[in-house]
């Protein structure tokens, strides 16, 4: 008996060692994969499977006959933290047993904290000079708005801030940005916010105010600048100094966002929401590419050299300042320069099957615009993946607005949201297919803005 106990103990220890080695190798592989994603400019794709919810089995839903059987059977699972398994056997249908691989997969029990922990590292890139875009994609009722914003108040659709553990990516990301900025020299950064919705293929500024100072949505247009970047002329930007001011502004904008009840979701968003934080960095021309601890030494050295050899410094300015490769660059030492990076946080409207949602009239027209804009997004990604000479950004206001982020000017993360319920199987498979195609897109390495490193430690 004692011998069996010793053998069991040895086996347990061996299993523990193998498990530890496996975890280490998995982390190494993930780090290498992330490096490859950076180099290729691939789109990161995470997938979140929401839990079964009461409205999945609510009475009164008109469900097509072929979806009536096994009404609340789960068919989508998180096989592990990188794999989605879809397994379904329906009478009269071909059986499905398929896996999908993504950078990260969250099961139904994983919290908002866990989801954001994997998103947060991207945000440090903002202050390193990169644009960042995070967008939630999925069918209506799959948990996109909850993931991006958190639980919403039914009376005015603002998101609740009472329980911080339930807050979504948008408020958490903004809090993280302000936390990162607080570690930098005072006055070297400031933050502006804009809130727009794309509704029926029109762009509305949700922070615009009337003559009495009341917020109301004003239609705007999106244009392409001479530099080939997308821009929304006259868009309202509000400066915010902390998370409270940000939440106040976004909640005002959310009250204007178009919603309409459907058979799938009582508070279905009928528009794409784009919240943009623009971080402006103030930097003098001689600060590019140097660390904060070197800056004072550099300034002191330049001052001593100018005092000792003023004429020589004028003649050989490129020698004493290796960072100033041209007179134009050298002259910026006297003029502080503003460099902007953007964090775009996107809550896409959900793709919809009309037979499931039961919409009619104006809501049916909204569904048509939503589905067309999401198809346009898929077309754009397909064109980039195939390296076509023409990418159809202008086929939709959504893709035109997000042109820079999609096209490779930002680190892009797509958060797929799916329902595990069998009655949404077709919609979930479509979303998983979109995510699979998205992560295969190679856009080339994302370009970094020419920013200094002003912190003592990164």
């Amino acid at each position: 008996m004692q011998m069996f106990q010793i053998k069991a103990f040895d086996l347990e220890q061996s299993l523990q060692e193998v498990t530890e080695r496996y975890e280490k190798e998995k982390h190494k592989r993930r780090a290498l994969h992330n490096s490859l994603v950076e180099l290729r400019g691939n789109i990161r794709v995470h997938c979140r499977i929401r839990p079964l919810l009461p409205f999945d089995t609510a009475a009164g839903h008109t469900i097509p006959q072929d979806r009536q059987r096994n009404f609340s059977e789960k068919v989508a699972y998180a096989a592990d933290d990188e794999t989605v398994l879809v397994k379904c056997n329906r009478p009269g249908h071909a059986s499905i047993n398929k896996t999908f691989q993504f950078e990260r997969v969250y099961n139904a029990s994983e919290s908002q904290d866990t989801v954001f922990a994997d998103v947060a590292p991207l945000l440090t890139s903002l202050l390193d000079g990169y644009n960042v875009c995070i967008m939630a994609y999925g069918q209506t009722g799959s948990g996109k708005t909850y993931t991006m914003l958190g639980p919403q108040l039914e009376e005015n659709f603002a998101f609740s801030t009472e329980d911080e553990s339930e807050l979504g990516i948008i408020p958490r990301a903004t809090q993280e940005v302000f936390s990162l900025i607080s570690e930098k020299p005072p006055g070297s950064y400031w933050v502006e916010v804009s809130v727009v919705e794309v509704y029926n293929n029109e762009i509305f500024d949700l922070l615009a105010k009337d003559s009495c100072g009341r917020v109301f949505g004003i239609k705007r247009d999106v244009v392409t600048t001479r530099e080939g970047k997308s821009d929304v002329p006259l868009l309202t930007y509000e400066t915010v100094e902390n998370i409270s001011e940000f939440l106040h502004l976004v909640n005002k904008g959310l009250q204007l966002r178009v919603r309409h009840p459907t058979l799938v979701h009582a508070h279905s968003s009928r528009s794409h929401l784009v919240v943009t934080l623009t971080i402006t960095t103030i930097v003098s021309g001689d600060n590019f590419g140097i660390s904060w601890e070197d800056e004072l030494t550099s300034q002191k050295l330049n001052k001593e050299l100018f005092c000792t050899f003023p004429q020589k410094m004028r003649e050989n300015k490129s020698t004493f300042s290796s960072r100033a490769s041209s007179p134009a660059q050298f002259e910026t030492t006297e003029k502080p320069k503003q460099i902007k990076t953007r964090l775009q946080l996107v809550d896409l409207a959900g793709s919809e099957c009309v037979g499931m949602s039961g919409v009619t009239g104006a809501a049916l027209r909204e569904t048509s615009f939503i589905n067309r804009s999401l198809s346009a997004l898929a077309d754009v990604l397909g064109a980039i993946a195939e390296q076509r000479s023409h990418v159809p950004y202008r086929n939709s206001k959504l893709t035109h607005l997000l042109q820079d982020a999609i096209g490779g000017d930002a680190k892009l993360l797509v958060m797929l949201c799916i329902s595990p319920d069998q009655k949404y199987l077709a919609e979930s498979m479509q979303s998983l297919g979109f995510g699979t195609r998205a992560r295969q897109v190679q856009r080339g390495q994302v370009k970094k803005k020419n920013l200094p490193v002003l912190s003592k430690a990164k």
Side-chain angles (χ1 to χ4, degrees), residues 128-320:
D128 289 338
Y130 294 96
N131 292 326
V132 174
C133 179
I134 302 167
M135 67 169 68
Y137 180 99
Q139 71 174 93
T140 186
S142 59
K144 299 182 303 300
T145 299
Y146 174 76
T147 297
M148 294 303 290
L149 290 166
Q152 292 183 283
L153 303 172
E154 289 192 16
E155 61 269 19
N156 58 9
F157 303 118
F159 60 94
S160 172
T161 58
E162 291 178 4
D163 186 354
E164 289 190 2
S165 67
E166 291 290 301
L167 289 176
I169 289 173
I170 291 177
R172 287 173 185 263
T174 306
Q175 178 66 67
E176 180 69 12
V177 167
F178 280 115
S179 177
L180 292 169
I181 287 175
S182 70
E183 299 170 4
K184 306 298 182 183
S188 57
Y189 294 85
W190 81 77
V191 179
E192 295 170 299
V193 62
S194 67
V195 182
V196 304
E197 70 171 349
V198 182
Y199 173 67
N200 286 357
N201 205 36
E202 297 289 353
I203 294 173
F204 292 89
D205 182 352
L206 299 188
L207 295 185
K209 296 177 181 176
D210 62 15
S211 56
C212 299
R214 292 171 300 193
V215 174
F216 74 114
I218 292 182
K219 190 187 293 187
R220 305 291 192 198
D221 201 5
V222 57
V223 300
T224 301
T225 65
R226 290 180 179 178
E227 294 77 27
K229 306 293 182 184
S230 62
D231 183 44
V232 181
L234 304 178
L235 182 63
T236 304
Y237 291 91
E238 295 278 0
T239 302
V240 289
E241 296 184 356
N242 52 56
I243 184 65
S244 298
E245 292 181 2
F246 169 82
L247 294 178
H248 176 71
L249 280 173
V250 172
N251 269 332
K252 275 189 172 181
L254 283 176
Q255 292 176 36
L256 299 175
R257 190 180 185 189
V258 180
R259 286 174 173 79
H260 193 281
T262 72
L263 293 179
V264 175
H265 189 21
H267 305 297
S268 176
S269 302
R270 315 305 291 169
S271 66
H272 309 293
L273 179 74
V274 182
V275 178
T276 304
L277 273 75
T278 304
I279 296 93
T280 303
T281 306
I282 306 297
V283 57
S284 56
D286 63 342
N287 286 340
F288 287 98
I290 64 170
S291 63
W292 177 251
E293 54 263 54
D294 291 339
E295 186 183 356
L296 294 177
T297 305
S298 175
Q299 289 176 349
K300 184 178 178 182
L301 177 62
N302 283 340
K303 185 176 180 181
E304 289 173 354
L305 287 169
F306 267 110
C307 292
T308 310
F309 308 108
Q311 185 60 35
K312 192 71 175 174
M313 280 293 289
R314 290 191 193 98
E315 293 171 358
N316 301 288
K317 53 192 173 186
S318 60
T319 305
F320 291 115

Side-chain angles (χ1 to χ4, degrees), residues 62-82:
T62 305
I63 307 298
Q65 201 63 37
D66 65 337
R67 299 194 183 193
Q68 288 283 0
R69 299 184 183 91
N70 302 318
F71 195 72
S72 292
E73 181 184 339
K74 287 180 68 173
V75 295
Y77 311 85
D80 56 43
D81 62 1
E82 294 179 351

Side-chain angles (χ1 to χ4, degrees), residues 347-358:
D347 177 22
L348 294 172
S351 57
E352 239 176 58
C353 171
V354 175
M356 286 288 287
S357 62

